Amino acid sequence: MKARFESLSALTGPLAIGLWVVGLVVINSMSDKIPHNPTDAQLRTVFQGKANTILFGGWFWMLGCIAFVWFAALLRARLAAAEGGSAMYSTLSFGGALAAAVFGMLTTAGDVAGAIDKNDISAATAGVLHNASDMFFVAAELMMILFF
């Protein structure tokens, strides 16, 4: 039973990729509504008009991040068994994957929060929530270095 569960758990890698792609497709399906250099007021209007699309795409992206952590945990166990000893490299790789997943979730969390509170946020808050995703994306990229 355990071996079968671990075999099926290996599918969380492709599942993560699939969920990320679906999340990106859904989120980008409304990107034509965001001007090239939007003002904060325009971003608030997008949050109000496309809240369900933002929530749907953001949750798919975040579920992909959770699936990625599951895959990384499975990979860590197998790498640690092959590495033996202190398993330093497999632990470092898992830590990088975990941190990348957290920063990956934070990449869309601002837009999701803006969509949830669409009627209660100011234009400046909408701008900050949307634009803060850039710093989390850069952090996720840097943490992926440890995973590879």
Side-chain angles (χ1 to χ4, degrees):
M1 177 73 172
K2 183 179 176 183
R4 181 182 169 140
F5 181 72
E6 285 185 9
S7 295
L8 290 175
S9 292
L11 295 176
T12 57
L15 176 65
I17 294 169
L19 289 168
W20 285 331
V21 168
V22 169
L24 286 174
V25 167
V26 171
I27 289 171
N28 288 322
S29 69
M30 61 94 186
S31 66
D32 61 326
K33 304 296 181 195
I34 299 176
H36 178 61
N37 289 316
T39 64
D40 293 346
Q42 288 171 322
L43 287 171
R44 183 172 182 245
T45 302
V46 169
F47 283 152
Q48 290 172 336
K50 297 291 185 175
N52 290 336
T53 302
I54 294 168
L55 289 171
F56 193 56
W59 284 109
F60 269 117
W61 177 268
M62 290 181 188
L63 287 173
C65 291
I66 292 170
F68 178 66
V69 169
W70 191 325
F71 174 73
L74 177 68
L75 186 62
R76 184 213 176 275
R78 292 185 182 180
L79 287 174
E83 185 179 351
S86 66
M88 180 183 79
Y89 296 112
S90 59
T91 302
L92 190 60
S93 176
F94 177 72
L98 182 61
V102 169
F103 286 124
M105 285 186 194
L106 290 172
T107 299
T108 60
D111 286 339
V112 168
I116 290 171
D117 293 332
K118 64 183 180 265
N119 295 321
D120 300 324
I121 61 173
S122 67
T125 303
V128 169
L129 288 174
H130 178 74
N131 293 314
S133 66
D134 294 343
M135 68 181 162
F136 296 121
F137 181 78
V138 170
E141 285 181 321
L142 291 174
M143 294 311 296
M144 283 301 288
I145 293 170
L146 295 175
F147 182 68
F148 294 110

